[in-house]
């Protein structure tokens, strides 16, 4: 008897699944149609955009001068920042070279380091 109940419940679940699948298929079809309509409208707008969206800007001499001055100030500031950064990097390289020289002094006792050793080994 429990096998019959299990079979009936399984068949009921399969029917519900098929109904849900059908409803989902209908919903997907509806959404797909709406998305296609939206895409067609967007395509039409984009086709007409170059003729409908024409922009012209008129700038008088005083405003143009102000724009140029702002650009010049921004360019000067940016150049200053880059130069500052380059100086910082050069100082870091200088400090590193100084530390390397100190290490050679510790290991070899001379500034020439390995070159002096190679010279003596050769002769």
């Amino acid at each position: 008897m429990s096998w019959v109940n299990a079979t009936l419940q399984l068949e009921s679940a399969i029917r519900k699944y098929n109904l849900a699948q059908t409803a989902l298929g209908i919903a997907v079809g509806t959404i797909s149609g709406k998305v296609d309509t939206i895409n067609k409208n967007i395509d039409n707008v984009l086709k007409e955009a170059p003729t409908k969206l024409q922009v012209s800007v008129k700038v008088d001499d005083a405003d143009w001068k102000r724009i140029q001055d702002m650009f010049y100030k921004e360019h000067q500031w940016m150049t200053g920042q880059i130069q500052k950064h380059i100086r910082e990097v050069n100082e870091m390289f200088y400090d590193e070279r100084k530390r390397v020289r100190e290490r050679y002094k510790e290991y070899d006792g001379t500034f020439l380091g390995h070159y002096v050793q190679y010279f003596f080994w050769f002769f």
Side-chain angles (χ1 to χ4, degrees):
M1 192 55 129
S2 64
W3 182 78
V4 173
N5 286 337
T7 304
L8 290 175
Q9 287 178 351
L10 181 60
E11 287 177 359
S12 174
I14 291 172
R15 268 188 252 118
K16 287 179 183 177
Y17 173 78
N18 287 336
L19 289 174
Q21 187 176 12
T22 304
L24 181 62
I26 292 170
V28 167
T30 304
I31 292 171
S32 176
K34 290 180 180 181
V35 168
D36 288 341
T37 303
I38 290 170
N39 284 335
K40 285 178 187 174
N41 289 335
I42 289 173
D43 289 341
N44 289 337
V45 168
L46 290 177
K47 283 179 190 173
E48 297 173 4
T51 58
K52 289 187 176 180
L53 297 175
Q54 294 179 353
V55 177
S56 63
V57 176
K58 294 182 182 180
V59 179
D60 61 5
D61 291 338
D63 290 337
W64 184 251
K65 176 80 171 121
R66 251 191 323 212
I67 291 169
Q68 291 296 329
D69 289 342
M70 287 173 55
F71 175 78
Y72 180 70
K73 287 177 184 175
E74 184 70 22
H75 182 69
Q76 279 184 323
W77 178 82
M78 186 63 72
T79 304
Q81 293 297 319
I82 291 171
Q83 288 173 347
K84 178 181 166 188
H85 180 69
I86 289 172
R87 278 193 297 273
E88 290 172 355
V89 170
N90 283 339
E91 288 174 10
M92 288 173 21
F93 283 139
Y94 176 75
D95 292 340
E96 185 61 29
R97 283 193 301 266
K98 205 184 326 180
R99 281 193 290 262
V100 167
R101 253 189 262 130
E102 291 299 320
R103 274 187 249 141
Y104 277 133
K105 275 182 168 180
E106 291 172 8
Y107 295 135
D108 298 331
T110 65
F111 281 108
L112 299 176
H114 297 289
Y115 296 116
V116 172
Q117 290 178 2
Y118 292 140
F119 179 76
F120 286 115
W121 287 345
F122 184 69
F123 292 108

CSV table of all heavy atoms in Angstrom, one decimal, residues 13-68:
chain,number,residue,atom,x,y,z
A,13,ALA,N,3.8,14.9,-8.2
A,13,ALA,CA,4.9,15.8,-8.2
A,13,ALA,C,5.4,16.0,-9.7
A,13,ALA,O,5.7,17.1,-10.0
A,13,ALA,CB,6.1,15.2,-7.4
A,14,ILE,N,5.3,15.0,-10.5
A,14,ILE,CA,5.7,15.1,-11.9
A,14,ILE,C,4.8,16.0,-12.6
A,14,ILE,O,5.2,16.9,-13.4
A,14,ILE,CB,5.8,13.7,-12.6
A,14,ILE,CG1,7.0,12.9,-12.0
A,14,ILE,CG2,5.9,13.8,-14.1
A,14,ILE,CD1,7.1,11.5,-12.5
A,15,ARG,N,3.5,15.9,-12.4
A,15,ARG,CA,2.5,16.8,-13.0
A,15,ARG,C,2.7,18.2,-12.6
A,15,ARG,O,2.6,19.1,-13.4
A,15,ARG,CB,1.1,16.3,-12.6
A,15,ARG,CG,0.5,15.4,-13.6
A,15,ARG,CD,-1.0,15.1,-13.4
A,15,ARG,NE,-1.1,13.7,-12.9
A,15,ARG,CZ,-1.5,13.3,-11.7
A,15,ARG,NH1,-2.0,14.2,-10.8
A,15,ARG,NH2,-1.5,12.1,-11.3
A,16,LYS,N,2.9,18.4,-11.3
A,16,LYS,CA,3.2,19.8,-10.8
A,16,LYS,C,4.4,20.4,-11.4
A,16,LYS,O,4.5,21.5,-11.8
A,16,LYS,CB,3.3,19.8,-9.3
A,16,LYS,CG,2.0,19.6,-8.5
A,16,LYS,CD,2.2,19.6,-7.0
A,16,LYS,CE,0.9,19.3,-6.3
A,16,LYS,NZ,1.1,19.3,-4.9
A,17,TYR,N,5.5,19.5,-11.6
A,17,TYR,CA,6.7,19.9,-12.2
A,17,TYR,C,6.5,20.3,-13.6
A,17,TYR,O,7.0,21.4,-14.1
A,17,TYR,CB,7.8,18.8,-12.1
A,17,TYR,CG,9.0,19.1,-12.9
A,17,TYR,CD1,10.0,20.0,-12.4
A,17,TYR,CD2,9.2,18.5,-14.1
A,17,TYR,CE1,11.1,20.3,-13.1
A,17,TYR,CE2,10.4,18.8,-14.8
A,17,TYR,CZ,11.3,19.7,-14.3
A,17,TYR,OH,12.5,20.0,-15.0
A,18,ASN,N,5.7,19.5,-14.4
A,18,ASN,CA,5.4,19.8,-15.8
A,18,ASN,C,4.6,21.1,-15.9
A,18,ASN,O,4.8,21.9,-16.8
A,18,ASN,CB,4.6,18.7,-16.4
A,18,ASN,CG,5.6,17.5,-16.7
A,18,ASN,OD1,6.8,17.7,-16.8
A,18,ASN,ND2,5.0,16.3,-16.8
A,19,LEU,N,3.6,21.4,-15.0
A,19,LEU,CA,2.9,22.6,-15.0
A,19,LEU,C,3.8,23.8,-14.7
A,19,LEU,O,3.7,24.9,-15.4
A,19,LEU,CB,1.7,22.5,-14.0
A,19,LEU,CG,0.6,21.6,-14.3
A,19,LEU,CD1,-0.4,21.6,-13.1
A,19,LEU,CD2,-0.1,22.1,-15.6
A,20,ALA,N,4.7,23.7,-13.7
A,20,ALA,CA,5.6,24.7,-13.4
A,20,ALA,C,6.5,25.0,-14.6
A,20,ALA,O,6.8,26.2,-14.9
A,20,ALA,CB,6.4,24.4,-12.2
A,21,GLN,N,7.0,23.9,-15.2
A,21,GLN,CA,7.9,24.1,-16.4
A,21,GLN,C,7.2,24.8,-17.5
A,21,GLN,O,7.7,25.7,-18.2
A,21,GLN,CB,8.4,22.7,-16.8
A,21,GLN,CG,9.4,22.8,-17.9
A,21,GLN,CD,9.9,21.4,-18.3
A,21,GLN,OE1,9.4,20.4,-17.9
A,21,GLN,NE2,11.0,21.3,-19.0
A,22,THR,N,5.9,24.5,-17.7
A,22,THR,CA,5.1,25.2,-18.8
A,22,THR,C,4.9,26.6,-18.4
A,22,THR,O,5.1,27.5,-19.3
A,22,THR,CB,3.7,24.5,-18.9
A,22,THR,OG1,3.9,23.1,-19.2
A,22,THR,CG2,2.9,25.1,-20.0
A,23,ALA,N,4.6,26.9,-17.2
A,23,ALA,CA,4.4,28.3,-16.8
A,23,ALA,C,5.7,29.1,-16.9
A,23,ALA,O,5.8,30.2,-17.3
A,23,ALA,CB,3.9,28.4,-15.3
A,24,LEU,N,6.8,28.4,-16.6
A,24,LEU,CA,8.2,29.1,-16.7
A,24,LEU,C,8.5,29.3,-18.2
A,24,LEU,O,9.0,30.4,-18.5
A,24,LEU,CB,9.2,28.2,-16.1
A,24,LEU,CG,10.7,28.7,-16.1
A,24,LEU,CD1,10.8,30.1,-15.3
A,24,LEU,CD2,11.6,27.7,-15.6
A,25,GLY,N,8.1,28.4,-19.0
A,25,GLY,CA,8.4,28.6,-20.5
A,25,GLY,C,7.6,29.8,-21.0
A,25,GLY,O,8.1,30.6,-21.8
A,26,ILE,N,6.3,29.9,-20.6
A,26,ILE,CA,5.5,31.0,-21.0
A,26,ILE,C,6.1,32.4,-20.5
A,26,ILE,O,6.2,33.3,-21.2
A,26,ILE,CB,4.0,30.8,-20.5
A,26,ILE,CG1,3.4,29.6,-21.2
A,26,ILE,CG2,3.2,32.1,-20.7
A,26,ILE,CD1,2.1,29.2,-20.6
A,27,ALA,N,6.5,32.4,-19.2
A,27,ALA,CA,7.1,33.6,-18.7
A,27,ALA,C,8.4,34.0,-19.4
A,27,ALA,O,8.6,35.2,-19.7
A,27,ALA,CB,7.4,33.4,-17.2
A,28,VAL,N,9.2,33.0,-19.7
A,28,VAL,CA,10.4,33.3,-20.4
A,28,VAL,C,10.1,33.8,-21.8
A,28,VAL,O,10.7,34.8,-22.3
A,28,VAL,CB,11.3,32.0,-20.5
A,28,VAL,CG1,12.4,32.2,-21.5
A,28,VAL,CG2,11.9,31.7,-19.2
A,29,GLY,N,9.1,33.2,-22.5
A,29,GLY,CA,8.7,33.8,-23.8
A,29,GLY,C,8.2,35.2,-23.7
A,29,GLY,O,8.6,36.0,-24.6
A,30,THR,N,7.4,35.5,-22.7
A,30,THR,CA,6.9,36.9,-22.5
A,30,THR,C,8.1,37.9,-22.3
A,30,THR,O,8.1,38.9,-22.9
A,30,THR,CB,5.9,36.9,-21.4
A,30,THR,OG1,4.9,36.0,-21.6
A,30,THR,CG2,5.4,38.3,-21.2
A,31,ILE,N,9.0,37.5,-21.4
A,31,ILE,CA,10.1,38.4,-21.1
A,31,ILE,C,11.0,38.5,-22.3
A,31,ILE,O,11.5,39.6,-22.6
A,31,ILE,CB,10.9,37.8,-19.9
A,31,ILE,CG1,10.1,37.9,-18.6
A,31,ILE,CG2,12.2,38.5,-19.7
A,31,ILE,CD1,10.7,37.2,-17.4
A,32,SER,N,11.2,37.4,-23.1
A,32,SER,CA,12.0,37.5,-24.3
A,32,SER,C,11.4,38.5,-25.3
A,32,SER,O,12.1,39.2,-25.9
A,32,SER,CB,12.1,36.1,-24.9
A,32,SER,OG,12.9,36.1,-26.1
A,33,GLY,N,10.1,38.4,-25.4
A,33,GLY,CA,9.4,39.3,-26.3
A,33,GLY,C,9.6,40.8,-25.9
A,33,GLY,O,9.9,41.7,-26.7
A,34,LYS,N,9.5,41.0,-24.6
A,34,LYS,CA,9.7,42.4,-24.1
A,34,LYS,C,11.1,42.9,-24.3
A,34,LYS,O,11.4,44.0,-24.7
A,34,LYS,CB,9.3,42.5,-22.6
A,34,LYS,CG,7.8,42.3,-22.4
A,34,LYS,CD,7.4,42.4,-21.0
A,34,LYS,CE,5.9,42.3,-20.8
A,34,LYS,NZ,5.4,42.3,-19.5
A,35,VAL,N,12.1,42.0,-24.1
A,35,VAL,CA,13.5,42.4,-24.3
A,35,VAL,C,13.8,42.7,-25.7
A,35,VAL,O,14.5,43.6,-26.1
A,35,VAL,CB,14.4,41.2,-23.7
A,35,VAL,CG1,15.9,41.4,-24.2
A,35,VAL,CG2,14.4,41.2,-22.2
A,36,ASP,N,13.2,41.9,-26.6
A,36,ASP,CA,13.3,42.1,-28.1
A,36,ASP,C,12.8,43.5,-28.4
A,36,ASP,O,13.4,44.2,-29.2
A,36,ASP,CB,12.6,41.0,-28.9
A,36,ASP,CG,13.4,39.7,-28.8
A,36,ASP,OD1,14.6,39.7,-28.5
A,36,ASP,OD2,12.8,38.7,-29.2
A,37,THR,N,11.6,43.8,-27.9
A,37,THR,CA,11.0,45.1,-28.1
A,37,THR,C,11.9,46.3,-27.6
A,37,THR,O,12.1,47.3,-28.3
A,37,THR,CB,9.6,45.3,-27.5
A,37,THR,OG1,8.8,44.2,-27.9
A,37,THR,CG2,9.0,46.6,-27.7
A,38,ILE,N,12.5,46.1,-26.4
A,38,ILE,CA,13.4,47.1,-25.9
A,38,ILE,C,14.6,47.2,-26.8
A,38,ILE,O,15.0,48.4,-27.1
A,38,ILE,CB,13.8,46.7,-24.4
A,38,ILE,CG1,12.6,46.9,-23.5
A,38,ILE,CG2,14.9,47.6,-23.9
A,38,ILE,CD1,12.8,46.3,-22.1
A,39,ASN,N,15.2,46.1,-27.2
A,39,ASN,CA,16.4,46.2,-28.1
A,39,ASN,C,16.0,46.9,-29.4
A,39,ASN,O,16.9,47.6,-29.9
A,39,ASN,CB,16.9,44.8,-28.3
A,39,ASN,CG,17.6,44.2,-27.1
A,39,ASN,OD1,18.2,45.0,-26.3
A,39,ASN,ND2,17.7,42.9,-27.0
A,40,LYS,N,14.9,46.6,-30.0
A,40,LYS,CA,14.5,47.3,-31.2
A,40,LYS,C,14.4,48.8,-31.0
A,40,LYS,O,14.8,49.6,-31.8
A,40,LYS,CB,13.2,46.7,-31.7
A,40,LYS,CG,13.3,45.3,-32.4
A,40,LYS,CD,12.0,44.8,-32.8
A,40,LYS,CE,12.1,43.4,-33.3
A,40,LYS,NZ,10.8,42.8,-33.6
A,41,ASN,N,13.8,49.2,-29.9
A,41,ASN,CA,13.6,50.6,-29.6
A,41,ASN,C,15.0,51.3,-29.4
A,41,ASN,O,15.2,52.4,-29.9
A,41,ASN,CB,12.8,50.9,-28.4
A,41,ASN,CG,11.3,50.6,-28.6
A,41,ASN,OD1,10.8,50.6,-29.7
A,41,ASN,ND2,10.6,50.2,-27.5
A,42,ILE,N,15.9,50.6,-28.7
A,42,ILE,CA,17.2,51.1,-28.5
A,42,ILE,C,18.0,51.2,-29.9
A,42,ILE,O,18.6,52.2,-30.1
A,42,ILE,CB,18.0,50.2,-27.5
A,42,ILE,CG1,17.5,50.4,-26.1
A,42,ILE,CG2,19.5,50.6,-27.6
A,42,ILE,CD1,18.1,49.5,-25.1
A,43,ASP,N,17.9,50.2,-30.7
A,43,ASP,CA,18.5,50.3,-32.0
A,43,ASP,C,17.9,51.5,-32.8
A,43,ASP,O,18.7,52.2,-33.5
A,43,ASP,CB,18.3,49.0,-32.8
A,43,ASP,CG,19.1,47.8,-32.2
A,43,ASP,OD1,20.0,48.1,-31.5
A,43,ASP,OD2,18.7,46.6,-32.5
A,44,ASN,N,16.6,51.7,-32.8
A,44,ASN,CA,16.0,52.8,-33.5
A,44,ASN,C,16.6,54.2,-33.0
A,44,ASN,O,16.9,55.1,-33.8
A,44,ASN,CB,14.5,52.8,-33.5
A,44,ASN,CG,13.9,51.7,-34.3
A,44,ASN,OD1,14.6,51.2,-35.2
A,44,ASN,ND2,12.7,51.2,-33.9
A,45,VAL,N,16.7,54.3,-31.7
A,45,VAL,CA,17.2,55.5,-31.1
A,45,VAL,C,18.6,55.7,-31.5
A,45,VAL,O,19.0,56.9,-31.9
A,45,VAL,CB,17.0,55.5,-29.5
A,45,VAL,CG1,17.8,56.6,-28.9
A,45,VAL,CG2,15.6,55.6,-29.1
A,46,LEU,N,19.4,54.7,-31.5
A,46,LEU,CA,20.8,54.8,-31.9
A,46,LEU,C,21.0,55.2,-33.4
A,46,LEU,O,21.9,55.9,-33.7
A,46,LEU,CB,21.6,53.5,-31.5
A,46,LEU,CG,21.8,53.3,-30.1
A,46,LEU,CD1,22.5,51.9,-29.8
A,46,LEU,CD2,22.6,54.4,-29.4
A,47,LYS,N,20.1,54.7,-34.2
A,47,LYS,CA,20.2,55.0,-35.6
A,47,LYS,C,19.9,56.5,-35.8
A,47,LYS,O,20.5,57.1,-36.7
A,47,LYS,CB,19.2,54.2,-36.4
A,47,LYS,CG,19.6,52.8,-36.7
A,47,LYS,CD,18.5,52.0,-37.4
A,47,LYS,CE,18.7,50.5,-37.5
A,47,LYS,NZ,17.6,49.8,-38.1
A,48,GLU,N,19.0,57.0,-35.1
A,48,GLU,CA,18.6,58.4,-35.3
A,48,GLU,C,19.4,59.4,-34.4
A,48,GLU,O,19.3,60.6,-34.6
A,48,GLU,CB,17.1,58.6,-34.9
A,48,GLU,CG,16.2,57.8,-35.8
A,48,GLU,CD,14.7,57.8,-35.3
A,48,GLU,OE1,14.5,58.5,-34.3
A,48,GLU,OE2,13.9,57.2,-35.9
A,49,ALA,N,20.2,58.9,-33.5
A,49,ALA,CA,21.0,59.7,-32.6
A,49,ALA,C,21.9,60.7,-33.3
A,49,ALA,O,22.0,61.9,-33.0
A,49,ALA,CB,21.8,58.9,-31.6
A,50,PRO,N,22.7,60.3,-34.3
A,50,PRO,CA,23.6,61.2,-34.9
A,50,PRO,C,22.9,62.4,-35.6
A,50,PRO,O,23.5,63.5,-35.6
A,50,PRO,CB,24.3,60.4,-36.0
A,50,PRO,CG,24.2,59.0,-35.6
A,50,PRO,CD,22.9,58.9,-34.8
A,51,THR,N,21.7,62.3,-36.1
A,51,THR,CA,21.0,63.4,-36.6
A,51,THR,C,20.3,64.2,-35.6
A,51,THR,O,20.1,65.4,-35.8
A,51,THR,CB,20.0,62.9,-37.7
A,51,THR,OG1,19.1,62.0,-37.1
A,51,THR,CG2,20.7,62.2,-38.8
A,52,LYS,N,19.9,63.6,-34.5
A,52,LYS,CA,19.1,64.3,-33.5
A,52,LYS,C,20.0,65.0,-32.4
A,52,LYS,O,19.6,65.9,-31.8
A,52,LYS,CB,18.1,63.4,-32.8
A,52,LYS,CG,17.0,63.0,-33.8
A,52,LYS,CD,15.9,62.3,-33.0
A,52,LYS,CE,14.7,62.0,-33.9
A,52,LYS,NZ,13.7,61.2,-33.3
A,53,LEU,N,21.2,64.4,-32.2
A,53,LEU,CA,22.0,64.9,-31.1
A,53,LEU,C,23.2,65.7,-31.6
A,53,LEU,O,24.3,65.2,-31.7
A,53,LEU,CB,22.5,63.7,-30.2
A,53,LEU,CG,21.5,62.9,-29.5
A,53,LEU,CD1,22.1,61.7,-28.8
A,53,LEU,CD2,20.7,63.7,-28.5
A,54,GLN,N,22.9,66.9,-32.1
A,54,GLN,CA,24.0,67.7,-32.5
A,54,GLN,C,24.2,68.8,-31.5
A,54,GLN,O,23.3,69.5,-31.0
A,54,GLN,CB,23.6,68.4,-33.9
A,54,GLN,CG,23.5,67.3,-35.0
A,54,GLN,CD,23.2,68.0,-36.3
A,54,GLN,OE1,22.9,69.2,-36.4
A,54,GLN,NE2,23.2,67.2,-37.3
A,55,VAL,N,25.5,68.9,-31.1
A,55,VAL,CA,25.8,69.9,-30.0
A,55,VAL,C,26.8,70.8,-30.5
A,55,VAL,O,27.8,70.4,-31.1
A,55,VAL,CB,26.4,69.1,-28.8
A,55,VAL,CG1,26.8,70.1,-27.7
A,55,VAL,CG2,25.3,68.1,-28.2
A,56,SER,N,26.6,72.1,-30.3
A,56,SER,CA,27.7,73.1,-30.6
A,56,SER,C,27.9,73.9,-29.4
A,56,SER,O,27.0,74.2,-28.6
A,56,SER,CB,27.2,73.9,-31.8
A,56,SER,OG,26.0,74.7,-31.4
A,57,VAL,N,29.2,74.3,-29.2
A,57,VAL,CA,29.6,75.0,-28.0
A,57,VAL,C,30.2,76.3,-28.5
A,57,VAL,O,31.1,76.3,-29.3
A,57,VAL,CB,30.6,74.2,-27.1
A,57,VAL,CG1,31.0,75.0,-26.0
A,57,VAL,CG2,29.9,72.9,-26.7
A,58,LYS,N,29.8,77.4,-27.9
A,58,LYS,CA,30.4,78.7,-28.2
A,58,LYS,C,31.1,79.2,-27.0
A,58,LYS,O,30.4,79.3,-25.9
A,58,LYS,CB,29.4,79.7,-28.8
A,58,LYS,CG,28.8,79.3,-30.1
A,58,LYS,CD,27.8,80.3,-30.6
A,58,LYS,CE,27.3,79.9,-31.9
A,58,LYS,NZ,26.3,80.8,-32.4
A,59,VAL,N,32.3,79.5,-27.1
A,59,VAL,CA,33.1,80.0,-25.9
A,59,VAL,C,33.6,81.4,-26.2
A,59,VAL,O,34.3,81.6,-27.3
A,59,VAL,CB,34.2,79.0,-25.5
A,59,VAL,CG1,35.0,79.6,-24.4
A,59,VAL,CG2,33.7,77.7,-25.3
A,60,ASP,N,33.3,82.4,-25.4
A,60,ASP,CA,33.9,83.7,-25.7
A,60,ASP,C,35.3,83.8,-25.3
A,60,ASP,O,35.9,82.9,-24.6
A,60,ASP,CB,33.0,84.8,-25.1
A,60,ASP,CG,33.0,84.7,-23.5
A,60,ASP,OD1,33.7,83.8,-23.0
A,60,ASP,OD2,32.2,85.5,-22.9
A,61,ASP,N,36.0,84.8,-25.7
A,61,ASP,CA,37.5,84.9,-25.5
A,61,ASP,C,37.9,84.9,-24.0
A,61,ASP,O,38.9,84.3,-23.6
A,61,ASP,CB,38.0,86.2,-26.1
A,61,ASP,CG,37.9,86.1,-27.6
A,61,ASP,OD1,37.9,85.0,-28.1
A,61,ASP,OD2,37.9,87.2,-28.3
A,62,ALA,N,37.1,85.5,-23.1
A,62,ALA,CA,37.4,85.6,-21.7
A,62,ALA,C,37.4,84.2,-21.1
A,62,ALA,O,38.3,83.8,-20.3
A,62,ALA,CB,36.5,86.5,-21.0
A,63,ASP,N,36.3,83.4,-21.4
A,63,ASP,CA,36.2,82.1,-20.9
A,63,ASP,C,37.3,81.2,-21.5
A,63,ASP,O,37.8,80.3,-20.8
A,63,ASP,CB,34.8,81.5,-21.3
A,63,ASP,CG,33.7,82.1,-20.5
A,63,ASP,OD1,34.0,82.7,-19.4
A,63,ASP,OD2,32.5,82.1,-20.9
A,64,TRP,N,37.6,81.3,-22.8
A,64,TRP,CA,38.7,80.6,-23.4
A,64,TRP,C,40.0,80.8,-22.7
A,64,TRP,O,40.8,79.9,-22.4
A,64,TRP,CB,38.8,80.9,-24.9
A,64,TRP,CG,39.8,80.0,-25.6
A,64,TRP,CD1,41.0,80.4,-26.1
A,64,TRP,CD2,39.7,78.6,-25.8
A,64,TRP,NE1,41.7,79.3,-26.6
A,64,TRP,CE2,40.9,78.2,-26.5
A,64,TRP,CE3,38.7,77.6,-25.5
A,64,TRP,CZ2,41.1,76.9,-26.8
A,64,TRP,CZ3,39.0,76.3,-25.9
A,64,TRP,CH2,40.2,76.0,-26.6
A,65,LYS,N,40.3,82.1,-22.4
A,65,LYS,CA,41.5,82.5,-21.7
A,65,LYS,C,41.5,81.8,-20.3
A,65,LYS,O,42.6,81.3,-19.9
A,65,LYS,CB,41.6,84.0,-21.5
A,65,LYS,CG,42.7,84.5,-20.8
A,65,LYS,CD,44.0,84.5,-21.6
A,65,LYS,CE,45.1,85.3,-20.8
A,65,LYS,NZ,46.2,84.5,-20.6
A,66,ARG,N,40.4,81.8,-19.6
A,66,ARG,CA,40.3,81.2,-18.3
A,66,ARG,C,40.6,79.7,-18.4
A,66,ARG,O,41.3,79.1,-17.5
A,66,ARG,CB,39.0,81.4,-17.6
A,66,ARG,CG,39.0,82.4,-16.5
A,66,ARG,CD,37.7,82.4,-15.7
A,66,ARG,NE,36.6,82.3,-16.6
A,66,ARG,CZ,35.4,82.8,-16.4
A,66,ARG,NH1,35.2,83.5,-15.4
A,66,ARG,NH2,34.4,82.7,-17.3
A,67,ILE,N,40.0,79.0,-19.4
A,67,ILE,CA,40.2,77.6,-19.6
A,67,ILE,C,41.7,77.3,-19.8
A,67,ILE,O,42.3,76.4,-19.2
A,67,ILE,CB,39.4,77.1,-20.8
A,67,ILE,CG1,37.9,77.1,-20.4
A,67,ILE,CG2,39.8,75.7,-21.2
A,67,ILE,CD1,37.0,76.8,-21.6
A,68,GLN,N,42.4,78.2,-20.7
A,68,GLN,CA,43.8,78.0,-20.9
A,68,GLN,C,44.6,78.2,-19.7
A,68,GLN,O,45.6,77.4,-19.4
A,68,GLN,CB,44.2,78.9,-22.0
A,68,GLN,CG,43.7,78.6,-23.4
A,68,GLN,CD,44.2,77.3,-23.9
A,68,GLN,OE1,45.3,76.9,-23.6
A,68,GLN,NE2,43.3,76.6,-24.7
